[in-house]
Amino acid sequence: MSMPALLQNALRLPVIASPMFIASNPKLVIAQCKAGIVGSFPALNARGDGALEQWLTEIETALAAERAAHPGKRVAPYAVNQIVHASNDRLAADMAVCVAHRVPIIITSLRAPDVIVPAVHGYGGLVFHDVISVRHAEKALEAGVDGLILVCAGAGGHAGTLSPFALIGEIRKFYDGPVILSGSIASGDAILAAQSMGADLAYIGTRFLATPEANVSDDYRQAIVDSSAADITYTPYFSGVHGNYLKKSIVRAGMDPDKLPHADASKMNLGSSAGESTSTAKAWKDIWGAGHGVGVIDAVLPTAAVVDRLEAEYRAARQRLSAAAAVYP
């Protein structure tokens, strides 16, 4: 396994909080980084002229103050997600802002980031890329990325269909660099499981929806607490790319989650423009993404408390595993 120098001795847990459309904002990212895990947000969440610049300045100022006030504390770096797809007409402008701020980690999605890697490497930053298959991984590595995020079955939002066991096993046949694993990871036990399978870091999103810092409604938070894996539906209908969503939100929007029309991927609409359509805005507001890990989430807690719980679970799982392994010397 391989941990980039930027992250060595910088994390309390081997975790990157995944960027969640609409839900991730500076408040959540700052809380995550202060708690000792990488916080992230999609650049597209910062809407309006100058909003991305303001968000980055707010995050950097808060983290610098935290490090100054607590010199020995592990305050994690942050990351920004960029959608590298033709539907994202903000990409060039948003990347210019990120380069000017020397964003530590850029997370790229939906196309190999050939045009992004040189710019980020120019100031010493890292590029991690979302992949759902070996083919996507190979293309990302050809583009020069610094790590792969394996988006496996059960992940919230846009997710793949392969079991994490299968995908990480095949990736590790030819790649020994940083791997971040996602797919139903919502507990400390699952973080340790990701490491045991060969991942360097776990990628956690859904667990942080049930926090006061997330930019979601109280109904959405409660739905996360009340739901189980059986309450998730996998469909491309809402964005043109397959993703996992809470069935309850689809029903509330007046649709049958079991009878959604087929979506045309060539008409993908991720709401990148300021002038997005009313239907797209409604979809992202009313349709709630979530992963299969919802079933282990039992309360709405502040982000700091969530990380405390994850750490306690992680340490307990390590002890159990050590004891179990001793039976098979």
Side-chain angles (χ1 to χ4, degrees):
M1 294 190 290
S2 174
M3 185 70 76
L6 175 68
L7 299 179
Q8 291 177 10
N9 301 315
L11 303 179
R12 179 177 165 195
L13 284 171
V15 170
I16 294 178
S18 61
M20 299 179 288
F21 194 50
I22 296 182
S24 298
N25 58 9
K27 186 177 181 181
L28 180 59
V29 171
I30 291 167
Q32 290 165 336
C33 293
K34 284 184 176 181
I37 65 172
V38 174
S40 71
F41 71 93
L44 294 177
N45 281 8
R47 304 197 172 220
D49 290 343
L52 181 58
E53 171 83 30
Q54 293 170 8
W55 281 28
L56 296 181
T57 298
E58 180 181 350
I59 292 168
E60 290 161 359
T61 300
L63 298 186
E66 186 74 4
R67 293 186 179 106
H70 306 281
K73 184 179 180 182
R74 294 192 176 192
V75 179
Y78 72 96
V80 174
N81 172 225
Q82 296 284 8
I83 303 299
V84 189
H85 186 272
S87 67
N88 182 9
D89 52 19
R90 285 178 40 177
L91 180 61
D94 284 351
M95 273 307 303
V97 175
C98 288
V99 170
H101 277 261
R102 303 171 70 90
V103 171
I105 303 168
I106 297 293
I107 295 170
T108 51
S109 309
L110 296 182
R111 199 187 75 184
D114 309 72
V115 298
I116 286 178
V117 170
V120 178
H121 286 176
Y123 63 79
L126 299 174
V127 179
F128 295 155
H129 187 67
D130 286 351
V131 303
I132 62 172
S133 68
V134 167
R135 182 175 65 86
H136 289 156
E138 291 171 340
K139 287 180 175 290
L141 293 174
E142 288 173 5
V145 301
D146 302 288
L148 301 174
I149 300 172
L150 312 189
V151 186
C152 299
H158 297 141
T161 58
L162 293 179
S163 159
F165 290 95
L167 187 53
I168 197 168
E170 293 189 20
I171 295 295
R172 281 305 190 200
K173 285 183 177 180
F174 61 87
Y175 178 63
D176 62 0
V179 164
I180 303 96
L181 186 66
S182 78
S184 305
I185 300 177
S187 68
D189 306 66
I191 295 170
L192 184 60
Q195 286 185 301
S196 73
M197 288 193 294
D200 298 282
L201 298 145
Y203 205 51
I204 302 178
T206 301
R207 184 62 191 85
F208 293 101
L209 289 170
T211 64
E213 291 90 353
N215 182 34
V216 299
S217 68
D218 288 339
D219 286 345
Y220 191 170
R221 291 187 184 90
Q222 192 58 46
I224 293 293
V225 172
D226 294 340
S227 297
S228 66
D231 298 312
I232 305 297
T233 192
Y234 185 66
T235 176
Y237 177 69
F238 300 106
S239 70
V241 179
H242 271 92
N244 283 314
Y245 305 93
L246 284 171
K247 289 182 179 179
K248 178 182 291 187
S249 68
I250 299 173
V251 171
R252 282 170 51 119
M255 294 174 280
D256 184 341
D258 297 319
K259 297 180 180 179
L260 293 172
H262 179 73
D264 183 353
S266 67
K267 297 179 180 179
M268 184 189 303
N269 189 337
L270 299 174
S272 60
S273 303
E276 62 188 357
S277 70
T278 301
S279 60
T280 300
K282 179 177 175 57
W284 287 119
K285 178 182 178 182
D286 296 338
I287 305 302
W288 303 335
H292 290 178
V294 291
V296 301
I297 301 170
D298 58 10
V300 175
L301 297 171
T303 295
V306 169
V307 177
D308 286 345
R309 178 178 287 192
L310 290 173
E311 182 181 33
E313 294 169 345
Y314 177 75
R315 293 188 181 280
R318 287 175 59 179
Q319 291 179 348
R320 288 198 307 274
L321 185 62
S322 178
V327 178
Y328 304 96

